[in-house]
Amino acid sequence: MSRFFSQKYSSLVPYTPGEQPKDTQYIKLNTNESPFSPSKTAQLYATKAAQNLQLYSDPECRELIKLAANRFSVNEDEILFTNGSDEVLNFAFMAFCDKNTPAIFPDITYGFYTVFAQINNIPYKQIPLNDDFTICIDDYKNADGTIFIANPNAPTGIALTVEQIEEIIKSNPDNVVVIDEAYVDFGADSVVPLTKKYDNLLVTQTFSKSRSLAGGRLGFGIGNKKLIQDLNTIKYSTNPYNVNSLTMAAGVGTLIDDEYCMDNCKTIIENREWTVTKLKELGFTMTDSSANFVFAKHHTAHGKDIYLKLKEKGVLVRYFDKEKLYDYNRITIGSKEQMNILIEKIQEVLEELK
Ligand code: PMP
């Protein structure tokens, strides 16, 4: 830390992203990326957009919003695009929390929530999950702050039903409820339709996982137009051009090829079911995942040993050096070929760890 670093950030603990090694050709199953390339139209549109990079991007993201509003059956003023969904989440912390309105979220969830709270100087309350890693919805009823729930949750992959989320929203008419649907396309039900009914619901989604655009950084929020106006106030006060033109064009192409993306999700779900069966045969137990990853624990081998040995063999999975999570690995579901190699390498690792 330099002697110039602002005192207000001196105790900030930044988010640790998953490893992105460039040295070896790893089978990368550690950051929940898609194994599939972006859609052809996305690639074509981004290439074309490169010819006009001398111009600023459209701060209103008009073309993108028009297509997305149609895709998600909402009005154009009920949606906002951001630089990954991390940005819309950060905007939500900035817009809907303050020292009297804490952020409330599970103790085991997306690790960035605590960082967003800390950097914005927002108090936060972490509610323990049940022992089986499920969320107890009663804990979130009549809350005294802004609620953030990832659905499906990370790193467990466990999803709440629409009815359960509606109960939470209903019991919090004076609190904003943010539902982070980064992984919703892999088997959970979206609560986007509830944004018509409740003015306190903000839903966030991303193009990073189900739409193969992690490197493009494109996310969005859907909610009542007044919530979206608030988020736009934050956006226009920080970076009006938050979505660059290459990404915006890729996003448009991606929505045009929506069927391609949704077909890829079906493949991932099939690969997940296959992987779950194979891992069970090898002595793993897993949470019931509705995401593009599984959260797996072996009955004898330790999570960290499995992670390290798999890395030696060129397969990267995510290990969280954190209480309650020590025994587990979060494994991204990739292509069938990648999953075959994973299972083969895990078999070798388990032999070596015997
Ligand atoms: N929410 C959850 C639960 C996530 O796991 C992630 C991915 N790290 C994000 C949001 C943010 O994703 P992105 O910024 O790529 O849209």
Side-chain angles (χ1 to χ4, degrees), residues 47-208:
T47 308
K48 275 196 193 154
Q51 292 166 8
N52 287 313
L53 277 177
Q54 74 279 18
L55 303 175
Y56 282 111
S57 59
D58 172 15
E60 294 174 54
C61 303
R62 279 165 292 191
E63 214 184 336
L64 196 48
I65 286 194
K66 198 169 162 202
L67 282 174
N70 184 42
R71 165 65 176 81
F72 295 99
S73 305
V74 296
N75 298 323
E76 291 179 23
D77 55 7
E78 292 168 335
I79 182 160
L80 154 112
F81 274 92
T82 52
N83 190 317
S85 59
D86 280 338
E87 188 176 50
V88 65
L89 287 164
N90 188 31
F91 285 176
F93 274 80
M94 292 168 83
F96 306 124
C97 302
D98 57 33
K99 66 178 189 324
N100 301 314
T101 316
I104 300 169
F105 45 84
D107 63 340
I108 295 169
T109 188
Y110 184 32
F112 227 138
Y113 297 163
T114 49
V115 183
F116 290 139
Q118 283 167 17
I119 195 161
N120 293 304
N121 209 8
I122 293 160
Y124 58 95
K125 193 162 125 192
Q126 292 175 284
I127 301 184
L129 293 182
N130 295 322
D131 287 343
D132 62 358
F133 290 122
T134 54
I135 287 176
C136 173
I137 61 164
D138 288 340
D139 291 344
Y140 297 84
K141 289 187 182 162
N142 310 304
D144 57 354
T146 302
I147 296 169
F148 291 82
I149 293 179
N151 192 55
N153 197 12
T156 64
I158 299 172
L160 293 172
T161 63
V162 169
E163 293 71 28
Q164 287 176 309
I165 295 174
E166 187 164 12
E167 276 190 53
I168 295 173
I169 301 165
K170 244 194 228 166
S171 73
N172 283 287
D174 297 323
N175 297 316
V176 174
V177 178
V178 180
I179 303 297
D180 171 355
E181 294 189 344
Y183 301 103
V184 77
D185 293 321
F186 302 102
D189 289 323
S190 173
V191 291
V192 163
L194 294 185
T195 57
K196 297 277 174 212
K197 209 166 151 190
Y198 298 99
D199 67 357
N200 60 330
L201 168 64
L202 176 72
V203 183
T204 65
Q205 287 195 19
T206 180
F207 278 45
S208 295

